[in-house]
Every structure is written in C-alpha cells, then in structure tokens.
Amino acid sequence: MGFETSDDAGVFKINDSVALIQTLDFLTPVTDSPYEFGQIAAANSLSDVYAMGGKPLTAMNIVCFPSEDLDENILSETLQGGIDKINEAGATLVGGHSVDDKEFKYGLSVTGLVHPEKFLVNKGAEKGDALILTKPVGTGILATAVKAGLADEKSTREMVETMSMLNRYAAEIMVDFRISACTDVTGFGLAGHLLEMAKGSKKNIVLFTEKVPVISSAKEFALMGMVPAGAYKNKKFCAPGVSVNPEIDKILLDLMFDPQTSGGLILSMRPGDASSCIDIMKDKGIRAEIIGEVRDNDHCGTLTII
Ligand code: CO
Ligand code: CO
C-alpha cells in the first residue's frame, strides 16, 4: 500500500492469506504518572494496527531518556505501563532500543497481521454511510489543563482512562460489520482526520458537532483558554477543505480540531449497520456515537461542519 492518502500504517503482503501491518509512534509524557504515560503511549502506538483492521503480533520499545536528570524508576514504571498494554492487546514485546536524550519520549514499533484482502483504509467511504466515533474528544485540551496544574482529579482520571483504553474492543466489534473506511483520531484532531477520509474517498463528509462525545470538563477548560496551539494549527491547515456553519459555538469548533493522543476509531458504514454497531459498543462500555454522514456532492473531498 502506498503513502498517498497518509494512512495509519504500512501494509506488506507476505502471501495470499497473510499481510504485515507495520507502524511506529512515540510521545513526550502527557501525565504526571510514568505508569499511566506508558499505558497511553502503548495504546496510542497499537491503535494504528486496529485502525487497519489487524491484530497486533509483536511490539518493540522506543525510548529516549534523560538518564542524568530523571530517576531510573520513572523509566521502569513507564515500561511496565507499556508491557501491561501490550499484554492486554495479546501482543508480545520482543525488544527495543533506548538512547540518551534531553527530553523523555516513549512509544512502540508494532507489527500486526491482517488478511491481505481484508485490511481497512481511510478512503472508500460510500455515499449515505454513517460515521461512528468510538472515544470522546478533548484529550489535548485536558492535557494542557493538566500541565497548567488546573485539572482536578476527576477530569484527569477521565482523560487518562480515555487515552489508555485500547481500540481493540471497538475493533473486535467492527469486524462483524462491513466497514467502507476506517482510521483513528490522533494529532490532526477529529475534523482533520475526517477531512483526510473525505479527500481519500472523494466525498463530502458532514460532521454533526452536537453529536460528538466530549470529555466532560474539556469545554470548561477550553473556555479558560486551555486550547493547545496544535488545535489552531489544525484548523488553519484544514481550512481550504472545510466549511463551517457560522452559528456553531466557537469552543465546540475548537474541540473538533483538538489534537488527540490515542483517540478513538472513525468507522464509515451503512446507516442500518451503524445503529446496531453503536448498540453493541455501548453495551460494552464504549462511548461510541454516530457523528456524521457521507454525501456525494463533490469529487475533491470536503468537510462540512454543522
Ligand atoms: Co492513525
Ligand atoms: Co500513527
């Protein structure tokens, strides 16, 4: 598979029944707890395999650590968080590499397996499809509030739980449905990843802002100015392909562009399937909602935010 639609991972066909999915990602700390940071970074790295419709097989640690400034325990707790998520994903840690660096960074290189005819891509969304999002947005805003020392215990918990949750559970449910396009929400924000899907599919995607699940305190912190610079960068970068209803609440719009770490999956599927899929996901405790639809009124790929 080529690079032209900036998909989540590389796919390499081994034979008629097996293809490899390969991806890597690493982050700077997003919480004060090294163990939780390890869990979040691993869940984030594993996510691209799920977004391609595959199963993670092996993982390798990527570590940049300032050994002169930080205690060794910070590293071992981070790695433990990572191992626990790798195990939860049913994958095996097979190695890794660490270097000395001024700023701490951790992540994984992940190899997964998929049938060469069954992997999912971020293009191919069909006219009339409903779009499902499987996690609430707002983690970028929350992380900014945490860094500023403003987030309370409850908001911090909700952020950590959202980011450390594996997309495995949503992915295991989605395989029973016909998915026409799939990706995960990360640095470009929900709107940015939807625009990618629209462009790849050469369709118009309509995003219903009021339907998007949001971490409860994210709006509050956004009102206090805790919107990360990345959200404005995303908004500016996407502007040529996006039209926005001028009546939309400005804060809600910022949330649509909030860069996410380890965000949910976006699934494009027939509307009838989408409602059954949502019901099953909700039963399993996944905060999934139908947040948009695919229309066919252009051929270049655009996003309409209403
Ligand atoms: Co991705
Ligand atoms: Co990625």
Side-chain angles (χ1 to χ4, degrees):
M1 198 188 64
F3 299 109
E4 59 284 336
T5 58
S6 37
D7 221 313
D8 297 292
V11 181
F12 185 84
K13 183 174 166 180
I14 300 285
N15 57 42
D16 287 344
S17 57
V18 180
L20 290 182
I21 300 175
Q22 292 181 294
T23 179
L24 81 85
D25 247 309
F26 54 102
L27 309 170
T28 54
V30 283
T31 62
D32 294 334
S33 151
Y35 179 76
E36 288 172 353
F37 168 51
Q39 289 188 305
I40 291 165
N44 180 66
S45 302
L46 289 155
S47 175
D48 281 329
V49 173
Y50 297 121
M52 304 300 293
K55 285 197 175 79
L57 181 69
T58 57
M60 291 199 274
N61 286 328
I62 303 161
V63 178
C64 304
F65 194 72
S67 55
E68 289 188 358
D69 306 332
L70 293 181
D71 193 286
E72 193 97 348
N73 284 336
I74 293 178
L75 181 56
S76 56
E77 283 170 36
T78 303
L79 295 180
Q80 189 59 50
I83 289 168
D84 287 352
K85 277 291 152 185
I86 293 166
N87 288 339
E88 187 186 334
T92 308
L93 181 71
V94 292
H97 186 69
S98 61
V99 294
D100 227 77
D101 195 0
K102 282 201 182 72
E103 195 177 12
F104 183 22
K105 303 173 195 85
Y106 169 65
L108 300 175
S109 152
V110 184
T111 299
L113 294 179
V114 72
H115 190 283
E117 267 135 47
K118 288 183 184 155
F119 70 88
L120 302 173
V121 290
N122 65 355
K123 56 184 178 184
E126 293 168 11
K127 178 186 176 181
D129 273 2
L131 294 163
I132 292 178
L133 174 68
T134 67
K135 279 187 190 182
V137 298
T139 57
I141 289 165
L142 256 297
T144 308
V146 167
K147 274 188 191 132
L150 292 171
D152 53 54
E153 182 61 27
K154 185 175 165 278
S155 317
T156 309
R157 276 295 98 225
E158 198 180 346
M159 177 193 78
V160 169
E161 274 165 27
T162 302
M163 293 197 289
S164 59
M165 183 180 187
L166 286 181
N167 279 330
R168 171 182 182 164
Y169 307 104
E172 282 173 352
I173 295 166
M174 79 180 177
V175 294
D176 291 333
F177 297 90
R178 196 180 70 83
I179 307 292
S180 54
C182 178
T183 192
D184 59 351
V185 182
T186 50
F188 296 127
L190 175 61
H193 290 279
L194 283 172
L195 179 60
E196 285 285 331
M197 188 177 275
K199 282 181 176 169
S201 310
K202 297 187 168 60
K203 296 281 185 294
N204 171 244
I205 284 179
V206 183
L207 170 60
F208 310 126
T209 48
E210 299 286 343
K211 298 278 172 63
V212 175
V214 173
I215 294 181
S216 44
S217 52
K219 271 188 172 180
E220 238 172 85
F221 291 121
L223 268 170
M224 292 163 67
M226 296 291 118
V227 179
Y232 299 112
K233 239 185 254 174
N234 286 340
K235 202 189 274 182
K236 202 173 159 198
F237 180 78
C238 293
V242 177
S243 59
V244 179
N245 174 351
E247 275 153 45
I248 288 176
D249 179 62
K250 284 274 175 296
I251 295 297
L252 199 52
L253 187 62
D254 287 347
L255 271 159
M256 300 302 111
F257 288 96
D258 183 38
Q260 303 298 286
T261 298
S262 189
L265 298 173
I266 301 171
L267 314 173
S268 188
M269 63 173 97
R270 302 320 297 166
D273 284 352
S275 39
S276 332
C277 183
I278 287 276
D279 287 345
I280 300 169
M281 286 182 175
K282 283 187 169 165
D283 270 358
K284 302 255 161 152
I286 297 168
R287 282 181 69 184
E289 296 293 346
I290 294 174
I291 53 102
E293 67 181 39
V294 181
R295 292 180 187 170
D296 200 15
N297 50 2
D298 71 35
H299 299 284
C300 47
T302 52
L303 176 67
T304 306
I305 304 180
I306 61 171

